[in-house]
Amino acid sequence: MKRSLTTLTTLTALLCASALAGGAQGQTIPDRGTVTVNGATVFYKATGSGEPLLLIHGYPLSGELFKNNRTLPGYRVITVDLPGFGQSRAPGREASIENYATTMLGFMDAVGLDRAVVGGMSMGGMTLLQMYKNAPDRFKGLILIDTTAEPSGVAEKANWLGTAQQAEQKGVASLVDILMPRMLTSVSRSTMPNQVQHLGGLVKAASLNGAVGGAVALANRPDANPVLPTIRVPTLIIAGMEDNLTPTELQVKMNMAIPGSRLVNIPGAGHAATFEKALAVNAALRAWLPTTR
């Protein structure tokens, strides 16, 4: 009896260890779900199998920005909706890049991601830099997509505060017309109405709390330039060559400041390069991801 009990205990320990190892690889994360973190309800989707790869969207979109980037062999791709966007809920309109970072680190805790490769587009990239500043040991690699480490200048700050005011006065849907020329190139807007429809739908799905809070967060974002030289994990920088919101010179500056980072320019892409030119972005990811193992 004692021998049987010992055998059962050993088997149970092995099964638990296996489950924990699977969790570390992202295998045990359900295909979709919500977790409550930092007062917000955060929705996520997970696709594929293998090492975890967490992707954080920009303003005022959702995890569906990455709908064409979810099939990467060897990776469990996890996309999240930041509080107030997509299917996530924000407790109020108060928001900041620092708070998003705290929430995303809490999300990693909630789903059992001790360490992962994490990517962020635009506001998601700003959030990612703050995440790294707070907890550098949580990352195997960083992917910075059409983003910047710069704080808002006077004119840009006024622009984002104006965006928040417009959302408040005219509704979130009114932001589509002012944001789409930044997201997509004129060629894509005129020849690929499906892209306009998809991204426009993501904007309209944002809550008023999300749209107002996110714009204020962008207006008041911290200077992340001091973080760049401290980065000690493989880093990929992806830049749409026709991005008029975070121009390529800002990506070049980050590339020069982050030791050993790799910069990939995406021709014919605007600010939403990961969606507009998904095939090119996926190719860049597949070529770079092995460096994080």
Side-chain angles (χ1 to χ4, degrees):
M1 180 67 178
K2 184 176 181 181
R3 182 183 178 89
S4 297
L5 181 59
T6 302
T7 303
L8 179 60
T9 303
T10 302
L11 178 59
T12 302
L14 288 171
L15 289 172
C16 288
S18 177
L20 288 172
Q25 298 300 311
Q27 298 304 310
T28 61
I29 298 174
D31 290 346
R32 64 174 58 210
T34 58
V35 296
T36 301
V37 186
N38 203 22
T41 302
V42 178
F43 174 82
Y44 69 89
K45 283 186 179 181
T47 307
S49 61
E51 294 281 342
L53 170 59
L54 175 63
L55 297 175
I56 307 170
H57 65 84
Y59 178 89
L61 307 170
S62 75
E64 290 306 300
L65 167 72
F66 302 108
K67 76 185 212 58
N68 296 324
N69 312 113
R70 288 186 169 124
T71 306
L72 293 169
Y75 284 85
R76 180 77 163 159
V77 179
I78 306 150
T79 59
V80 295
D81 294 350
L82 287 168
F85 302 97
Q87 298 186 55
S88 292
R89 296 292 171 262
R93 294 184 190 177
E94 299 263 339
S96 67
I97 299 300
E98 295 92 334
N99 187 264
Y100 290 145
T102 299
T103 299
M104 287 297 96
L105 286 170
F107 170 81
M108 290 176 68
D109 291 337
V111 299
L113 290 180
D114 292 331
R115 295 184 71 229
V117 179
V118 183
M121 176 265 186
S122 192
M123 186 172 77
M126 300 167 195
T127 297
L128 177 54
L129 288 172
Q130 292 304 304
M131 292 168 68
Y132 187 87
K133 176 184 177 181
N134 294 342
D137 58 322
R138 303 296 298 274
F139 301 92
K140 292 183 177 180
L142 306 180
I143 307 166
L144 300 168
I145 309 164
D146 292 302
T147 191
T148 179
E150 302 296 321
S152 285
V154 174
E156 187 186 355
K157 182 172 184 176
N159 183 277
W160 285 122
L161 294 177
T163 299
Q165 185 177 39
Q166 177 168 328
E168 186 85 62
Q169 295 177 349
K170 298 182 179 180
V172 176
S174 70
L175 302 182
V176 174
D177 289 342
I178 64 171
L179 294 177
M180 213 50 57
R182 303 177 186 177
M183 297 288 181
L184 301 170
T185 62
S186 59
V187 172
S188 291
R189 296 198 310 275
S190 62
T191 63
M192 303 188 74
N194 59 316
Q195 290 198 346
V196 176
Q197 183 178 11
H198 180 74
L199 291 183
L202 301 189
V203 174
K204 293 174 184 177
S207 68
L208 186 58
N209 281 349
V212 172
V216 172
L218 285 166
N220 298 317
R221 66 181 184 262
D223 181 1
N225 280 295
V227 179
L228 303 183
T230 72
I231 295 174
R232 293 293 182 267
V233 295
T235 301
L236 176 65
I237 301 168
I238 294 176
M241 292 188 71
E242 295 187 43
D243 185 351
N244 58 24
L245 189 59
T246 53
T248 52
E249 53 262 32
L250 297 179
Q251 325 290 319
V252 171
K253 182 178 178 181
M254 289 196 298
N255 179 222
M256 294 177 65
I258 301 173
S261 61
R262 182 185 302 178
L263 172 63
V264 176
N265 291 310
I266 307 297
H271 191 56
T274 189
F275 177 71
E276 188 173 16
K277 297 294 181 182
L279 291 178
V281 169
N282 291 346
L285 291 172
R286 286 194 297 269
W288 172 82
L289 280 168
T291 68
T292 67
R293 293 181 183 265

